Amino acid sequence: MAEKSVLQVEFTVRGRQAHASMPDAGVNTHRVAGHLVVRLDQLLHEKFGLSDPLFDPPASTFEPTRHDANVSNVNTIPGIDRLWFDCRVLPSVDLDEVKAAIDSVARAVAGDFGATIDVNYTNENPAAPPTAADAPVVLAVAEAVRQVRGVEPKIVGIGGGTVAAEFRRRGIPAVAWSTCDAVAHQPNEYSVIDNMVSDALVLAHLFVRDQ
């Protein structure tokens, strides 16, 4: 019934490559990137630490994720590092404020080390308006789950994106429902066929309930 806003950020740190035995001759972008990650992690969680019990997890998340390879040998100080953050932000938080905080930290870290840090917002997707918990579609899906699966559905918002958001952006109340194990993007991620069949039965029950 609701999703968080998505903000994905690419950081390109540029310094000066040198031999590892002569660190003063270079600007170690691996070290700069490490400080950038720690300071972003601390500031973003402190500044945007609001909680909303509708969502699971209830707070905004700011995660360092991908890091590209820099140098291939162990005795070289890298002169360029590229890394990403994936941010899932509560709808009540203005993404422009998050971006301003990120830009401020990047400038400060770059200045501290004599490096440059380019910030590129590769994906900025503000949250769609939520579907009300008492909307007819929510009540209908919840009742179908109870009747077909014999369980009490949990009505929540999530950090991941769903196709329901595209309907809600067009003013159409929508929800998403699925049965899954909590293994998204983990090694050996899988989907249980019985769950997919059961979810299809929920949808079938929903479509024919008035016939």
Side-chain angles (χ1 to χ4, degrees):
M1 58 177 292
E3 293 90 18
K4 296 176 182 177
S5 299
V6 177
L7 186 65
Q8 294 172 328
V9 196
E10 175 191 21
F11 299 93
T12 303
V13 184
R14 291 184 171 86
R16 186 166 59 254
Q17 185 171 308
H19 196 284
S21 67
M22 302 179 66
D24 290 346
V27 176
N28 190 327
T29 54
H30 197 158
R31 176 176 287 112
V32 178
H35 280 262
L36 176 67
V37 167
V38 171
R39 286 165 68 169
L40 281 173
D41 186 62
Q42 182 176 9
L43 175 69
L44 293 174
H45 285 97
E46 288 179 354
K47 187 175 180 65
F48 305 105
L50 296 175
S51 182
D52 185 339
L54 171 65
F55 289 91
D56 184 16
S60 298
T61 58
F62 306 96
E63 290 299 308
T65 54
R66 175 177 162 184
H67 185 281
D68 285 357
N70 44 36
V71 292
S72 59
N73 51 316
V74 72
N75 64 339
T76 299
I77 290 172
I80 185 168
D81 267 72
R82 186 170 287 110
L83 61 148
W84 278 258
F85 259 66
D86 181 279
C87 311
R88 306 299 169 118
V89 184
L90 290 175
S92 59
V93 176
D94 187 342
L95 288 183
D96 285 338
E97 293 185 13
V98 177
K99 291 164 62 179
I102 290 172
D103 292 342
S104 176
V105 170
R107 286 193 299 269
V109 173
D112 288 347
F113 290 92
T116 63
I117 301 177
D118 297 327
V119 182
N120 179 26
Y121 295 97
T122 58
N123 183 14
E124 183 176 351
N125 192 8
T131 296
D134 59 353
V137 65
V138 176
L139 301 179
V141 171
E143 184 58 27
V145 171
R146 293 186 192 100
Q147 293 191 22
V148 174
R149 303 301 306 279
V151 298
E152 184 63 29
K154 184 179 180 181
I155 300 174
V156 298
I158 62 171
T162 74
V163 295
E166 299 307 317
F167 289 94
R168 288 189 277 108
R169 285 194 177 93
R170 291 162 173 78
I172 303 171
V175 295
W177 151 261
S178 69
T179 305
C180 57
D181 294 349
V183 294
H185 298 337
Q186 295 181 16
N188 300 318
E189 180 179 1
Y190 60 84
S191 181
V192 178
I193 293 176
D194 285 348
N195 288 342
M196 291 188 284
V197 172
S198 296
D199 287 348
L201 291 174
V202 169
L203 293 176
H205 181 84
L206 181 66
F207 294 147
V208 302
R209 70 189 190 283
D210 294 328
Q211 298 182 17

